[in-house]
């Protein structure tokens, strides 16, 4: 006999966020990436941007879920990660020269990573957390930058790097949440889900 577990929708197409949830023994029932405009507003600071985008993704996914009999009544989880130098938001580069520019800005300096998580409950209420982490990069040589660009691991990553990949060798120090820098702060995410009645340990027995 099996007991029912509430359904969970991850409003993201990020394999990193999915892998982090699975690390915690949580397997989303549905992946429903929310397609929203992620352009920063004029003068919008990084922490505000991350918070706004995570909520916008969650709201869009919640509305879509309510229209689908499979996902109606599910928990909706969304997140957004912003890399910043001071008040400057570093984009997710689409071109190699954009990634190169980001890496040169980060070289030898400390930057901040803001990860916001937003959870909509089946009743339509929501909770949200913002996690700030500080990351310092070593001084990068031209050869290191060129080799990293050739790896392709910068594609689609905030700030042009993925800390869980080769760029982990660039990190001198991190203060905050490693999983937050990857894209989903696990501690805060799990506490939010637990606090809203989602059974975190449901899937552990099969793991």
């Amino acid at each position: 006999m099996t007991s029912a577990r509430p359904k969970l929708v991850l409003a993201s197409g990020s394999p990193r966020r999915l892998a982090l949830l699975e690390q915690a023994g949580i397997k989303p029932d549905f992946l429903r990436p929310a397609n929203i405009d992620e352009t920063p507003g004029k003068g919008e600071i990084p922490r505000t941007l991350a918070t706004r985008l995570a909520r916008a993704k969650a709201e869009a996914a919640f509305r879509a879920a309510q229209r689908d009999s499979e996902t109606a009544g599910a928990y909706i989880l969304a997140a957004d990660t912003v890399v910043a130098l001071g008040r400057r938001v570093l984009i997710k580069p689409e071109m190699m020269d954009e990634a190169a520019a980001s890496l040169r800005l980060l070289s030898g300096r400390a930057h901040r990573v803001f990860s916001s998580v937003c959870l909509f409950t089946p009743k339509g209420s929501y909770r949200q957390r913002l996690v700030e982490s500080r990351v310092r990069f070593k001084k990068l040589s031209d050869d290191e930058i060129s080799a990293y660009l050739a790896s392709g691991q910068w594609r689609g990553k905030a700030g042009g790097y993925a800390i869980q990949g080769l760029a982990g060798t660039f990190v001198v120090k991190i203060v905050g949440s490693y999983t937050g820098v990857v894209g989903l702060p696990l501690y805060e995410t799990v506490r939010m889900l637990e606090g809203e009645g989602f059974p975190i340990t449901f899937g552990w027995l099969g793991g």
Side-chain angles (χ1 to χ4, degrees):
M1 184 176 73
T2 59
S3 56
R5 173 180 71 74
K7 292 179 180 178
L8 175 64
V9 173
L10 177 60
S12 173
S14 165
R16 300 171 301 284
R17 291 189 177 120
L18 177 59
L20 284 168
L21 275 181
E22 290 179 341
Q23 177 184 324
I26 304 167
K27 188 174 173 116
D29 299 280
F30 304 96
L31 301 179
R32 297 288 190 269
N35 186 19
I36 65 166
D37 181 2
E38 299 189 17
T39 305
K42 185 176 181 181
E44 189 171 28
I45 62 174
R47 65 171 56 244
T48 303
L49 175 64
T51 300
R52 176 175 66 82
L53 292 181
R55 183 174 172 185
K57 291 176 183 178
E59 286 179 332
F62 179 77
R63 288 193 298 268
Q66 295 301 98
R67 297 192 294 266
D68 185 335
S69 60
E70 274 195 316
T71 54
Y75 287 81
I76 311 294
L77 184 67
D80 191 79
T81 302
V82 171
V83 174
L85 271 172
R87 294 172 62 94
R88 178 176 180 174
V89 173
L90 299 187
I91 62 169
K92 295 177 182 176
E94 297 179 3
M95 306 294 292
M96 190 177 288
D97 59 343
E98 294 173 332
S102 286
L103 291 171
R104 291 191 180 99
L105 283 171
L106 297 174
S107 175
R109 301 174 70 178
H111 61 277
R112 297 186 187 275
V113 180
F114 298 93
S115 281
S116 182
V117 184
C118 187
L119 174 69
F120 267 70
T121 73
K123 295 180 180 179
S125 62
Y126 79 93
R127 292 180 64 186
Q128 189 162 10
R129 287 289 305 274
L130 178 72
V131 177
E132 177 182 339
S133 303
R134 193 167 184 264
V135 182
R136 177 174 288 279
F137 268 22
K138 62 174 279 191
K139 183 73 174 172
L140 302 177
S141 69
D142 289 340
D143 285 346
E144 285 172 322
I145 291 174
S146 296
Y148 188 71
L149 294 173
S151 77
Q153 291 188 11
W154 53 271
R155 296 184 189 278
K157 309 297 193 305
Y161 76 92
I163 195 172
Q164 72 275 20
L166 297 171
T169 65
F170 301 159
V171 176
V172 175
K173 186 177 183 180
I174 176 171
V175 179
S177 168
Y178 172 81
T179 55
V181 178
V182 175
L184 186 73
L186 268 188
Y187 173 79
E188 290 77 10
T189 300
V190 168
R191 296 288 82 78
M192 284 172 58
L193 284 164
E194 281 183 329
E196 293 299 330
F198 188 86
I200 294 298
T201 58
F202 184 93
W204 287 13
L205 294 177

